[in-house]
Each structure stands twice: as structure tokens, then as C-alpha cells.
Amino acid sequence: QVQLVESGGGLVQPGGSLRLSCAASGSIFAASVTAWYRQAPGKERVLVARLTSGGSADYADSVKGRFAISRDSAKNTVFLQMNSLKAEDTAVYYCNAFIKPYDYWGQGTQVTVSS
């Protein structure tokens, strides 16, 4: 059973930066589609960024140009660099890895953007 553990969340002022990390218990990221989702209070969980096994990335329109997803396969870790943070980025952020037919989720890490 693969486990994903997120870290790096916290409180940051508008305009600030955070880097989220997602560590896997096994070597899955190189063979999977890896993604970050977020869920704000009272809202559905939505896709933020996705990285294919081949290295192609795509982003939600709301974070394009500000967020970047990357992977260190040797360390079994995926990152989400978040810059120019806004109040509307406040949410619980979840790491996801999909290797057909398995879908793995982390427990989530809280990101709060507030002055």
C-alpha cells in the first residue's frame, strides 16, 4: 500500500510563497500521473496542477504563471511551488498519484493566505 505524505503548508501573507512537498512510500511518481488538488471550505475539491509520467504539466487557469509542479523521482517526492499567493488560494491541498487502476491520496496540508 503506497502512502503519500504532504508537508510545507502554513500561513503566508498575500504575495508570499510556499513550497509544498509530497513524499511517497514507494517509487511510484515516475510511472504515474501526479497531481495537486485543493479544497476550500464549503467548496468541491478541484485540480490545481498535474504532471504526467513523461513530464508534461498543466495547470488550472487560476494558478497559471504562479504555481509550478515538479518531481524528484530519485527522492520519490513531488513539489508544488506557489508564488504570488492570494487569499483565494486558501485551501487544504492534497497530493494525488494515479497509476491505473490505483488512485492514491495524501491526507492534505492547510495553506492559509492572510495578512
Side-chain angles (χ1 to χ4, degrees):
Q1 179 74 13
V2 173
Q3 292 186 328
L4 304 180
V5 180
E6 300 100 334
S7 61
L11 174 65
V12 63
Q13 292 186 342
S17 298
L18 282 175
R19 189 175 82 153
L20 305 182
S21 300
C22 174
S25 59
S27 301
I28 64 168
F29 288 138
S32 68
V33 176
T34 310
W36 287 93
Y37 288 74
R38 68 186 181 189
Q39 187 168 18
K43 296 187 177 181
E44 294 184 351
R45 190 175 299 187
V46 296
L47 178 68
V48 175
R50 179 171 49 202
L51 184 65
T52 69
S53 57
S56 297
D58 58 281
Y59 301 90
D61 287 344
S62 60
V63 307
K64 280 181 181 177
R66 300 189 298 122
F67 290 13
I69 187 171
S70 61
R71 177 177 64 219
D72 185 335
S73 297
K75 296 182 178 180
N76 300 324
T77 304
V78 172
F79 304 98
L80 184 68
Q81 178 67 42
M82 305 186 296
N83 300 324
S84 302
L85 283 161
K86 306 175 181 180
E88 51 263 44
D89 295 318
T90 295
V92 178
Y93 284 71
Y94 297 91
C95 178
N96 170 263
F98 178 70
I99 307 175
K100 191 175 181 179
Y102 303 103
D103 203 14
Y104 301 103
W105 290 91
Q107 82 289 350
T109 185
Q110 176 70 46
V111 172
T112 302
V113 184
S114 175
S115 56

